[in-house]
Amino acid sequence: MKRLALKRVASEKTRVDIDANTGVAFGPHADEFMSYLRVVSRERLSISINSWDEVSKVDRNMIWEDVLISFTLLLLPYNVF
């Protein structure tokens, strides 16, 4: 996460490939992306929230904006590689 924080300060984005069919991240930065999502979720959301459906639109938008600062997301069919 340190490397990601340094990239963020330098306004560099990490490319993450997303399977267009399933919405699952894959490729060399998938693990880093998923770890980042976990950290952001823990920071911004209450532990009492049981499912994504309970997350307010405001919180969803804040998380989405945070993700877009650090990552470039590309929708691709998984079998491209």
Side-chain angles (χ1 to χ4, degrees), residues 1-14 32 36 39-40 43-44 62-71:
M1 296 308 286
K2 234 185 234 187
R3 184 171 56 87
L4 187 58
L6 291 173
K7 280 182 160 186
R8 188 173 179 157
V9 169
S11 297
E12 295 176 21
K13 292 186 178 187
T14 301
E32 180 180 10
Y36 185 78
V39 169
V40 170
E43 287 177 353
R44 302 219 187 247
M62 284 182 5
I63 291 170
W64 182 242
E65 288 173 13
D66 199 327
V67 166
L68 292 179
I69 290 170
S70 298
F71 294 95

Side-chain angles (χ1 to χ4, degrees), residues 28-43:
H29 302 289
D31 290 339
E32 180 180 10
F33 177 67
M34 290 185 289
S35 293
Y36 185 78
L37 288 179
R38 288 183 197 106
V39 169
V40 170
S41 297
R42 279 189 218 117
E43 287 177 353

